[in-house]
Amino acid sequence: MIWMSWRQFRAQAVVGAAALAVLAGYLLWLGFDVRDAHAGYLAQCRPQGDCAEALARFARDYENTLLYLAALLALLPAVVGMFWGAPLIARELESGTHRLVWNQSVTRRRWLLVKLLVVGLGAVLVAGAASLLLTWAAAPVDAVAGNRFSTVVFGARDVAPVAAAGFALVLGTVIGLLTRRTLPAMALTGLAVVLLQFAVPNLVRPHLMPPVRADRAMTEQAINEARGLGSITNSATVRGLGVPGAWVTDVSELRTRDGRTLDRRAFDDCFSARDDPAAPATGQYGAAARCLGALDLHVELAYQPNHRYWPFQLLESGLYLLAAGVLTLFGLWRIRRRVT
C-alpha cells in the first residue's frame, strides 16, 4: 500500500523536490550574503561606537527581498492543498478507479490514511526545509528589525508554515472527497486556504494569548511618531503606534483625561488647524499634532511582547494540526459511510 501510494505520488514529489532545490540554492546564497553584509556594516560602525543607523540601513537593504520570499512561502500551503491534496481522492472518484481500489483487501479507511501519511510526509519535508532555510537566511535581518510578529514574517518562519501546509493538504483532500471533481476541488481549496491565511493573522492570532495593556500619553511628539491620523470615517484615531520589542494588536480612539472618546468636532478642528506663522509647528502633522497634544489626550494600547513569539508559534501550529486531525477523522468517516 505504501509503495503504491508512493508510485502515484512520485511525479508531484519530483516536481516539489526540484522546486525546493532551486529555492534552497538561492536561500543558501542569500543567507551567506546577508551575513557578509551584516559583518561589513558592523566593521564600519564599531569604530564610531554607534551602529544603530548602520544596522537600520542593513535591514532596509534586504527588507523587500525577504518580504517577497515570505510571501512566496505563504503560497506554499495553497499549492500543497491544490495540487497534492485536492486530487488525492477526487481524481480516483472522477476517473472511476476507486471501484477497483476499494474492492481489494485494503479497507477504504486504511487506504485513505496511508495516502495522507505518504503525501503528508512529503508536504512536511518540503515546507519544513523551505521554512528552515528562510528562517536561517533572514536571522540577522530579523534580529535587527525586531518585527517577528509581522503578518507575513510570522507565517513564513519556523514551524507555523509546516503546520499550515499539513492542514492545507488534509483540507484539500476532504474538499476533493466532497466535490468528487478535481478542478472544482482545486479551486475551492485554493480559495479556502487564501481566506484562512488572511483570517488567522488578523482574527485568530491576536487572541491566542491575553494581551498586555497600557496607556500612552499622546503628546505632540507622540502624535508625530504615528503613521496615520484619522480614518476613512474621520474618527478620532491615530494609526501605526509602536511599542519597542512588542507587537501592537489594538489601539483605542483618542481619549480625554476622564476616559471619554475625544469629540469628533474637536478632532476635526485640530485636524484642519493651520500653522501659526509666528511659531510654526514641526513634525509630519504640524499644527494638527500641536493642537491635539495640547488637549491632554491618551490612548489605550494592547500588545504582545516579542518574548511570546515561540508560544504563539506553537499555539498557532497546534490549532492547524488540531483542525487537520478533525478533518482527517471526518474524511475517514465520510469515505466509509457516504462515498460509493
Side-chain angles (χ1 to χ4, degrees), residues 81-82 85-95 171-190 192 330 334 338-339:
M82 291 174 64
L88 200 63
I89 298 178
R91 185 179 291 125
E92 301 275 4
L93 296 173
E94 197 171 32
S95 62
L171 177 64
T173 302
V174 171
I175 291 176
L177 176 62
L178 296 174
T179 60
R180 305 168 66 95
R181 295 291 184 270
T182 302
L183 289 179
M186 293 173 67
L188 288 173
T189 300
F330 172 77
R334 177 79 181 185
R338 300 286 180 175
V339 179

Side-chain angles (χ1 to χ4, degrees), residues 91-216:
R91 185 179 291 125
E92 301 275 4
L93 296 173
E94 197 171 32
S95 62
T97 55
H98 67 289
R99 296 186 182 91
L100 174 63
V101 174
W102 293 346
N103 282 317
Q104 307 302 313
S105 59
V106 178
T107 64
R108 298 181 184 186
R109 290 179 178 176
R110 183 182 173 190
W111 174 84
L112 174 59
L113 197 56
V114 170
K115 289 181 78 70
L116 280 175
L117 289 174
V118 170
V119 181
L121 178 61
V124 167
L125 289 175
V126 171
S131 174
L132 177 65
L133 286 168
L134 179 57
T135 302
W136 169 79
V141 179
D142 289 345
V144 172
N147 62 343
R148 302 178 80 191
F149 273 110
S150 168
T151 298
V152 179
V153 171
F154 185 93
R157 302 287 195 272
D158 298 304
V159 297
V162 182
F167 166 76
L169 172 71
V170 179
L171 177 64
T173 302
V174 171
I175 291 176
L177 176 62
L178 296 174
T179 60
R180 305 168 66 95
R181 295 291 184 270
T182 302
L183 289 179
M186 293 173 67
L188 288 173
T189 300
L191 178 62
V193 173
V194 169
L195 290 177
L196 281 170
Q197 287 182 316
F198 172 80
V200 169
N202 294 285
L203 302 178
V204 178
R205 189 180 300 158
H207 307 290
L208 290 176
M209 295 180 70
V212 178
R213 298 189 178 276
D215 283 354
R216 173 178 290 185

Side-chain angles (χ1 to χ4, degrees), residues 213-217 252 255 298-301:
R213 298 189 178 276
D215 283 354
R216 173 178 290 185
S252 72
R255 302 191 187 281
H298 71 276
V299 293
E300 297 173 2
L301 297 172

Side-chain angles (χ1 to χ4, degrees), residues 190-256:
L191 178 62
V193 173
V194 169
L195 290 177
L196 281 170
Q197 287 182 316
F198 172 80
V200 169
N202 294 285
L203 302 178
V204 178
R205 189 180 300 158
H207 307 290
L208 290 176
M209 295 180 70
V212 178
R213 298 189 178 276
D215 283 354
R216 173 178 290 185
M218 296 310 297
T219 62
E220 179 180 353
Q221 179 182 349
I223 291 172
N224 278 321
E225 291 173 355
R227 290 199 298 268
L229 187 61
S231 67
I232 58 174
T233 60
N234 202 31
S235 56
T237 58
V238 290
R239 293 175 283 109
L241 293 178
V243 173
W247 168 41
V248 177
T249 58
D250 186 53
V251 180
S252 72
E253 293 185 332
L254 290 166
R255 302 191 187 281
T256 58

